[in-house]
Amino acid sequence: MPGKVKAYELQSKSKNDLSKQLNELRTELLSLRVQKIAGGSASKLTKINTVRKSIARVLTVTNQKARQNLREYYKKKKYLPIDLRAKRTRAIRRRLTKSERSAKTLKQIKKEQNFPVRKYAVKA
């Protein structure tokens, strides 16, 4: 694998291509680690870091694609899986919804109908 892997180049690749590239990077990392123990050159040792970062980029892109596919799948469904829901804060998640906030009991509705708020004309 020549050089560093670019994330924007990975976006256009298919799932199979990404998995192949991941396997290639992992085998390369394995060989680099063997060379490190055997006493490889300094350039080989510094390449370990770039290969590790490249593996991370490939895994990140595959996870992003998987999550995007899941979002498309659950778009029209009633419920979303917890990990795809909006995070927000704990307090906001537990807050009442608009319909729950505006809901009134039967007693409250009757009270408002029978005893409307009185309007007074104040003389200046």
Side-chain angles (χ1 to χ4, degrees), residues 32-50:
L32 286 170
R33 283 185 174 151
V34 169
Q35 288 171 0
K36 178 185 171 187
I37 293 167
S41 64
S43 62
K44 298 274 185 190
L45 297 178
T46 54
K47 198 172 181 197
I48 289 175
N49 194 34
T50 57

Side-chain angles (χ1 to χ4, degrees), residues 7-117:
Y8 67 88
E9 292 169 356
L10 295 173
Q11 296 287 349
S12 59
K13 290 189 176 182
S14 68
K15 190 177 179 182
N16 292 332
D17 292 338
L18 287 170
S19 61
K20 282 178 191 171
Q21 188 165 8
L22 185 63
N23 287 333
E24 287 171 13
L25 286 166
R26 283 186 170 154
T27 52
E28 186 181 354
L29 183 63
L30 195 72
S31 66
L32 286 170
R33 283 185 174 151
V34 169
Q35 288 171 0
K36 178 185 171 187
I37 293 167
S41 64
S43 62
K44 298 274 185 190
L45 297 178
T46 54
K47 198 172 181 197
I48 289 175
N49 194 34
T50 57
V51 173
R52 283 179 61 236
K53 301 298 179 196
S54 297
I55 289 171
R57 280 189 196 93
V58 172
L59 287 171
T60 301
V61 170
T62 52
N63 286 334
Q64 283 175 343
K65 284 190 172 195
R67 286 176 69 85
Q68 191 61 40
N69 291 339
L70 283 172
R71 283 190 195 284
E72 289 296 317
Y73 177 74
Y74 284 105
K75 203 168 206 166
K76 302 282 187 241
K77 304 276 194 259
K78 186 175 180 182
Y79 297 112
L80 260 180
I82 293 170
D83 61 330
L84 295 180
R85 291 179 196 166
K87 180 95 170 87
R88 297 200 192 102
T89 62
R90 192 166 187 266
I92 292 172
R93 288 196 306 266
R94 277 150 182 73
R95 199 158 53 188
L96 293 176
T97 62
K98 277 190 174 174
S99 59
E100 289 170 340
R101 246 181 279 148
S102 62
K104 291 180 181 176
T105 61
L106 187 63
K107 186 176 182 179
Q108 182 70 30
I109 293 167
K110 285 182 180 176
K111 189 177 175 184
E112 286 174 0
Q113 284 174 347
N114 295 326
F115 303 100
V117 178

